[in-house]
Amino acid sequence: AQSVSQHNHHVILSEAASLELGCNYSYGGTVNLFWYVQYPGQHLQLLLKYFSGDPLVKGIKGFEAEFIKSKFSFNLRKPSVQWSDTAEYFCAVRDGGSQGNLIFGKGTKLSVKP
Amino acid sequence: GAVVSQHPSWVICKSGTSVKIECRSLDFQATTMFWYRQFPKQSLMLMATSNEGSKATYEQGVEKDKFLINHASLTLSTLTVTSAHPEDSSFYICSARDGAETKETQYFGPGTRLLVL
């Protein structure tokens, strides 16, 4: 069965620090990859997605992620975090092209200290 | 982006009663809708997938007679938790896929928090 691993349960950073959240998946076929963010008290929002093409994907709010097929990874990055980035971040993978279901990682809680 | 709403946002009920949660896609037609359950500090677990006008497909371990899903139109899906028990207390999230998008993305509702006493 597919699985998605997010390495860090809770990350604490100071403002302006750089961020990298790890995500690895276990599926060898074609995958669609997603990062979602859930701000406190709000619903899941799509940050960015990768379907094909350039493996470096840029999303909203200055986030980007890089798909490395050989490492089965899709790490999320941001060069300089802000207090407003405090949220929970979920990596998700979908197989079988656009017909598969999303499989979510357990999430990484990011706390940014002002 | 596309908007998905859920109603109610939270509900408290007595054990043994049934609770219905609505999920609506507000500005697009959702050919497929998903229902997830999220436990504290854990990931979203897919419960079932429903396509408009057909029976839902339930994930292994999810009781279809307990969690009734109806996807009667392209903008509305309902989840009914029948004979709710305290262990059904959870955060239920629906998601909808916009069938018109060439690269389909799932949009999530704000969730419904259910507390069964």
Side-chain angles (χ1 to χ4, degrees):
Chain A
Q2 288 182 71
S3 65
V4 178
S5 299
Q6 290 185 241
H7 312 305
N8 308 101
H9 177 64
H10 191 186
V11 172
I12 303 173
L13 296 173
S14 297
E15 275 195 315
S18 65
L19 169 73
E20 180 159 4
L21 301 181
C23 172
N24 287 87
Y25 62 92
S26 63
Y27 182 71
T30 302
V31 290
N32 301 149
L33 299 157
F34 305 81
W35 274 99
Y36 284 88
V37 60
Q38 188 173 31
Y39 296 102
Q42 296 189 29
H43 62 282
L44 280 166
Q45 300 173 41
L46 181 67
L47 265 183
L48 48 78
K49 61 186 177 183
Y50 171 79
F51 282 68
S52 63
D54 188 344
L56 185 61
V57 180
K58 294 193 183 299
I60 60 171
K61 305 187 181 186
F63 286 91
E64 65 177 32
E66 185 175 12
F67 169 50
I68 303 179
K69 189 175 181 179
S70 61
K71 295 184 177 181
F72 297 88
S73 69
F74 190 57
N75 292 355
L76 181 71
R77 299 194 293 250
K78 184 170 183 178
S80 176
V81 295
Q82 300 172 321
W83 177 78
S84 57
D85 293 324
T86 295
E88 189 141 20
Y89 293 80
F90 292 93
C91 179
V93 174
R94 184 169 64 196
D95 73 352
S98 63
Q99 300 305 312
N101 297 320
L102 280 176
I103 307 297
F104 283 86
K106 290 190 175 181
T108 297
K109 183 178 178 181
L110 172 65
S111 299
V112 180
K113 297 183 293 184
Chain B
V3 177
V4 175
S5 70
Q6 276 184 246
H7 177 80
S9 56
W10 60 272
V11 58
I12 301 173
C13 70
K14 291 182 179 180
S15 187
T17 60
S18 295
V19 175
K20 180 186 281 189
I21 303 169
E22 291 187 350
C23 175
R24 293 181 186 273
S25 57
L26 298 186
D27 50 2
F28 65 98
Q29 293 188 325
T31 51
T32 306
M33 284 186 167
F34 306 85
W35 286 96
Y36 293 85
R37 187 171 176 177
Q38 187 179 27
F39 293 99
K41 298 184 180 180
Q42 293 192 30
S43 184
L44 282 75
M45 299 300 295
L46 179 66
M47 297 174 67
T49 303
S50 71
N51 293 295
E52 184 265 338
S54 61
K55 289 184 178 180
T57 302
Y58 290 80
E59 295 299 300
Q60 193 172 11
V62 178
E63 299 176 59
K64 60 182 179 182
D65 294 330
K66 180 166 187 61
F67 299 100
L68 300 179
I69 291 172
N70 186 298
H71 191 167
S73 77
L74 285 171
T75 59
L76 173 64
S77 175
T78 60
L79 168 67
T80 302
V81 183
T82 62
S83 186
H85 288 95
E87 57 266 30
D88 299 324
S89 299
S90 191
F91 194 52
Y92 293 87
I93 302 172
C94 78
S95 174
R97 184 182 285 171
D98 186 349
E101 288 192 355
T102 54
K103 291 187 175 180
E104 299 171 1
T105 299
Q106 281 182 229
Y107 299 97
F108 287 82
T112 297
R113 192 164 299 281
L114 170 63
L115 177 61
V116 184
L117 301 177

